[in-house]
């Protein structure tokens, strides 16, 4: 009895090993082969009923054992498949089919109908008539006012200072409890083109409001991963007064396009290449990474970059049509987490 | 029968009063009708049958009065008078209502009223100023966004992207004449230089052989300076180097060597110098 039980138990174990692949036919085969294969075995004594899964074993240790065994089996099979494929590729040599492209989130991105086509006339027309047209026509040159929320702490103040070295023609002013709605008309009268407000929470900067002044759009960002200059490893010396170049990466949709233009309008239009400084705004999956580098061309095909300057990540929270007015403003786009964050493959910028 | 002294004797000192709060130095009265907030014989609303207070409701100040005649009617114990909005007129109102009342109560009522009006003024001023809006953060959402940001950072490969973009711009000639890189043009120029210098060298060498036999000269060291821009400076000099005795190719080699030496001899085992990813 015990012996038979053991045998069937061991048989059952082996049967379980090939769990995923054809469990039931295996059981049936085992049942059929029961008599001829191991004569001592009880026929049709399938130790586990078909449709049995490892997770139904009540004993934790045994269940764990079964699972690890199954996992090892899976891994072996996977490795075998890979080896086989590799051999086939080598055998074919040049005639091998091209390697399949791995799927990434960026590859699988949900098709967004607002993606800008570079030749789109409507977009081109919009761009010539929007609020940044005067900047892109070289009629106005940017003048930026950088300020913070009330009572900033050291980190925020230092970030403001460093930002003002990065952005040419920018001035830092202390907030001192003034209302933004009162600051804005004053700025307009003094010919400022943009207003940057860095919001602070618990001694760290966590928000950025970028407002284009005469009556331009206001973008509200969530700022994270702020690194000041001294926290950046392997950085270069402080940036000089040269006007940097700008790189805007991956701003594909209409919304992304307008945000990209907002960033571009912060910097004067005539970068000084002698300075070899470049500010990068790279959008990846709706996160905008800001970096400031100094580059040097070592050869025609190689360039070395050295990071200066602060770095931070922005995530767009809302885009408002007029200047800053949280209550009565007309919002072009607001980030609603419950609706917009449901799909992992859908991005808006 | 209402006897204030007995009440005070019991509540004030000897036994428990539920409105009383004791601290190390002071005791306070938590009763809502208390005139001052302290626990005293003269300011205990329970131990005084004739008592008055000022209370504020929704921006309106009221004068509450209690007299011993109504002690038997708890429902109508407190008489309420609405005070005027004008400060002076309200003070006059208090005076006229509390005429013939003890000095202490009158005085304290006026003081309390003053304090309350000052608070109300302050509230009105503050509402005009900007009010900080507290936005609640959901921990789950914050964690999710942080995680996604990290993954996006890895997927972005920022350094690569920046380098690629810069090389693109170099190719498309946005930098103009600053960098003399384009290798095809460079090679052509090189060949030209070689041709010229070969012909000129051969002429010069004959002369030099005759002249240099016994001559002492002080020749400069061939090291390249350590600044970054020196590469370009040397390259500029190369075009005008036909007078020097150097071969153009050797100068390039020296530059490469100096570049290598600048990396302090620490060439990594795995091939050319690589930048570490941030």
């Amino acid at each position: 009895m015990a012996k038979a039980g053991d045998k069937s138990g061991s048989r059952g174990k082996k049967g379980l090993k090939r769990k995923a692949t054809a469990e039931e036919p295996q059981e049936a085969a085992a049942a059929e082969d029961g008599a001829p294969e191991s004569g001592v075995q009880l026929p049709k004594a399938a130790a586990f009923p078909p449709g049995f899964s490892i997770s139904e074993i009540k004993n934790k240790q045994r269940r764990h054992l079964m699972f690890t065994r199954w996992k090892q089996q899976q891994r072996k099979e996977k490795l075998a498949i890979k080896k086989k494929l590799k051999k086939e590729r080598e055998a074919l040599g040049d005639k091998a089919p091209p390697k399949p492209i791995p799927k990434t989130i960026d590859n699988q991105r949900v098709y967004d109908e607002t993606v800008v086509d570079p030749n789109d006339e409507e977009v081109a027309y919009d761009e010539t008539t929007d609020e940044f047209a005067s900047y892109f026509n070289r009629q106005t040159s940017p003048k930026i006012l950088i300020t913070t929320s009330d009572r900033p702490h050291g980190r925020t103040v230092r970030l403001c200072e460093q930002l003002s070295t990065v952005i040419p023609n920018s001035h830092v002013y202390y907030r001192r409890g003034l209302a933004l709605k009162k600051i804005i008309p004053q700025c307009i009268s003094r010919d400022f083109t943009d207003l940057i407000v860095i919001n602070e929470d618990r001694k760290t900067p966590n928000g950025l409001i970028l407002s284009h002044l005469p009556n331009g759009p206001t973008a509200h960002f969530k700022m994270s991963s702020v690194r000041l200059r001294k926290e950046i490893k392997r950085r270069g010396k402080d940036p000089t007064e040269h006007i940097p170049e700008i790189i805007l990466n991956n701003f594909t949709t209409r919304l992304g396009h307008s945000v990209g233009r907002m960033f571009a309008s912060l910097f004067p239009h005539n970068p000084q290449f002698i300075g070899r400084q470049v500010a990068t705004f790279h959008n990846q999956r709706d996160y905008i990474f800001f970096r400031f580098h100094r580059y040097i061309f070592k050869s025609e095909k190689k360039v070395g970059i050295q990071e200066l300057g602060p770095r931070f990540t922005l995530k767009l929270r809302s885009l408002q049509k007029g200047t800053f007015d949280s209550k009565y403003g007309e919002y072009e786009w607001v980030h609603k987490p419950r609706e917009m964050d449901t799909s992992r493959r859908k991005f808006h910028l | 029968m209402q006897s204030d002294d007995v009440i005070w004797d019991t509540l004030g000192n000897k036994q428990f009063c539920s409105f009383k709060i004791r601290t190390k130095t002071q005791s306070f009265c938590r009763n809502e009708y208390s005139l001052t907030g302290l626990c005293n014989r003269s300011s205990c609303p329970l131990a005084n049958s004739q008592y008055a207070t000022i209370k504020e409701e929704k921006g309106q100040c009221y004068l509450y009065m209690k007299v011993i005649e109504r002690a038997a009617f708890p429902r109508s114990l407190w008489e309420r008078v609405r005070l005027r909005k004008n400060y002076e007129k309200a003070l006059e109102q208090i005076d006229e209502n509390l005429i013939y009342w003890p000095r202490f109560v009158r005085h304290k009522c006026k003081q309390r009223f003053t304090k309350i009006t000052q608070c109300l003024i302050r509230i009105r001023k503050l509402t005009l100023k900007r009010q900080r809006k507290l936005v609640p953060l959901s921990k789950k959402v914050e964690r999710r966004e942080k995680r996604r940001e990290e993954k996006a950072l890895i997927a972005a490969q920022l350094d690569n992207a920046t380098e690629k973009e810069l090389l693109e711009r170099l190719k498309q000639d946005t930098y103009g004449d600053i960098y003399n890189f384009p290798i095809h043009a460079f090679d052509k120029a090189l060949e030209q230089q070689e041709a010229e210098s070969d012909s000129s060298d051969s002429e010069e060498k004959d002369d030099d052989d005759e002249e240099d036999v016994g001559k002492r000269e002080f020749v400069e060291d061939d090291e390249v300076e350590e600044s970054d821009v020196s590469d370009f400076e040397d390259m500029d000099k190369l075009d005008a180097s036909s007078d020097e005795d150097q071969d153009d190719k050797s100068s390039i080699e020296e530059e490469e060597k100096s570049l290598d030496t600048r990396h302090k001899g620490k060439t990594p085992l795995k091939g050319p110098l690589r930048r570490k990813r941030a």
Side-chain angles (χ1 to χ4, degrees), chain A residues 150 175 177-179 222 224-225 245-247 273 276 282 284-285 287 291 297 300 305 313 315 341, chain B residues 130 132 144-145 149 152-153 155-156 158 162-163 165-167 169 174-175 178-179 181-183 275:
Chain A
D150 278 344
R175 184 73 175 273
L178 301 167
K222 180 172 90 133
S224 46
S225 307
E245 302 169 46
I246 317 172
I247 294 181
F273 300 121
R276 285 186 287 131
H282 182 108
Q284 186 82 16
R285 302 183 193 174
Y287 288 95
R291 301 283 185 271
F297 285 107
E300 194 200 57
I305 52 175
T313 331
K315 185 163 201 273
D341 274 354
Chain B
R130 308 147 36 229
R132 191 162 285 202
R144 193 208 301 160
E145 296 209 331
E149 184 192 321
L153 182 63
L158 285 169
T162 323
E163 287 173 9
E165 179 67 29
L166 288 169
L167 288 170
R169 289 190 183 179
T174 40
Y175 299 128
I178 307 181
Y179 307 110
F181 275 133
I183 280 189
R275 282 189 61 80

Side-chain angles (χ1 to χ4, degrees), chain B residues 31-34 45-46 48-55 63-67 70 73-81 101:
Chain B
N31 195 323
E32 55 173 331
Y33 288 101
S34 166
L46 306 171
N48 289 301
S49 324
Q50 192 184 40
Y51 199 70
T53 353
I54 309 279
K55 272 173 68 165
L63 171 66
Y64 284 74
M65 289 175 288
K66 153 171 115 154
V67 289
R70 295 198 299 274
F73 310 107
R75 203 152 53 113
S76 40
L77 179 61
W78 289 95
E79 178 191 346
R80 181 166 95 163
V81 176
W101 280 53

Side-chain angles (χ1 to χ4, degrees), chain A residues 17 19-20 54 66-74:
Chain A
K17 258 195 192 173
K19 177 206 167 214
I54 302 183
M66 287 297 175
F67 181 71
T68 38
R69 212 179 280 173
W70 176 75
K71 259 300 205 214
Q72 282 168 0
Q73 189 63 30
Q74 294 294 96

Side-chain angles (χ1 to χ4, degrees), chain A residues 55-297:
Chain A
S55 55
E56 285 175 24
I57 305 180
K58 297 288 185 180
N59 184 334
K60 183 173 179 177
Q61 274 190 342
R62 184 114 189 105
R63 190 170 62 233
H64 183 65
L65 188 77
M66 287 297 175
F67 181 71
T68 38
R69 212 179 280 173
W70 176 75
K71 259 300 205 214
Q72 282 168 0
Q73 189 63 30
Q74 294 294 96
R75 248 182 272 144
K76 258 194 228 164
E77 287 173 11
K78 193 173 173 190
L79 207 59
I81 292 173
K82 263 197 184 168
K83 269 196 174 165
K84 208 176 75 170
L85 268 178
K86 194 169 175 191
K87 271 208 177 121
E88 284 174 9
R89 281 195 84 86
E90 280 175 18
L92 282 179
D94 275 337
K95 289 178 270 170
K99 271 194 176 172
I101 316 170
K103 289 189 196 171
T104 63
I105 293 184
D106 307 295
N107 283 349
Q108 309 293 99
R109 179 172 170 175
V110 162
Y111 171 69
D112 200 343
E113 60 217 359
T114 58
V115 168
V116 169
D117 182 26
N119 309 330
D120 203 346
E121 292 167 348
E122 197 190 316
V123 175
Y125 175 71
D126 273 341
E127 286 184 5
T128 50
T129 52
D130 78 351
E131 294 103 349
F132 300 108
S134 66
Y135 164 77
F136 283 102
N137 291 339
R138 320 284 178 108
Q139 285 165 6
T140 50
S141 80
K143 191 173 169 197
I144 322 276
L145 178 69
I146 303 182
T147 184
T148 65
S149 53
D150 278 344
R151 306 214 168 204
H153 282 86
R155 242 181 111 79
T156 318
V157 171
R158 259 174 275 146
L159 176 68
C160 286
E161 290 168 21
Q162 293 181 5
L163 258 188
S164 71
T165 58
V166 162
I167 305 177
N169 203 5
S170 60
H171 308 267
V172 181
Y173 283 99
Y174 279 131
R175 184 73 175 273
R176 290 172 117 252
L178 301 167
L180 273 184
K181 289 194 199 151
K182 299 211 180 107
I183 297 183
I184 287 178
Q186 287 227 348
C187 286
I188 298 178
S189 65
R190 286 176 209 208
D191 268 347
F192 279 96
T193 57
D194 288 277
L195 173 69
I196 297 182
V197 182
I198 297 185
N199 190 43
E200 192 203 20
D201 177 49
R202 288 231 211 130
K203 304 187 190 176
T204 44
N206 74 343
L208 184 98
I209 299 178
L210 173 55
S211 185
H212 189 69
L213 272 186
N215 48 356
T218 308
H220 177 37
F221 297 94
K222 180 172 90 133
M223 183 154 57
S224 46
S225 307
V226 177
R227 303 278 175 265
L228 301 175
R229 255 182 218 138
K230 63 179 184 178
E231 295 160 12
I232 298 180
K233 300 181 184 173
R234 289 184 281 271
R235 69 176 159 101
K237 297 204 182 136
D238 286 339
T240 55
E241 294 289 327
H242 295 106
I243 300 178
E245 302 169 46
I246 317 172
I247 294 181
L248 296 167
N249 273 341
N250 271 350
F251 288 97
T252 46
T253 62
R254 284 299 293 271
L255 179 66
H257 220 67
S258 37
V259 171
R261 279 162 75 76
M262 274 194 95
F263 286 131
S265 71
L266 285 179
F267 294 87
H269 218 117
N270 48 333
Q272 293 172 317
F273 300 121
I274 309 177
R276 285 186 287 131
Q277 291 174 146
V278 59
T280 309
F281 292 91
H282 182 108
N283 171 40
Q284 186 82 16
R285 302 183 193 174
D286 280 355
Y287 288 95
I288 302 172
F289 299 101
F290 171 77
R291 301 283 185 271
F292 194 69
H293 293 285
R294 184 176 281 143
Y295 62 89
I296 174 171
F297 285 107

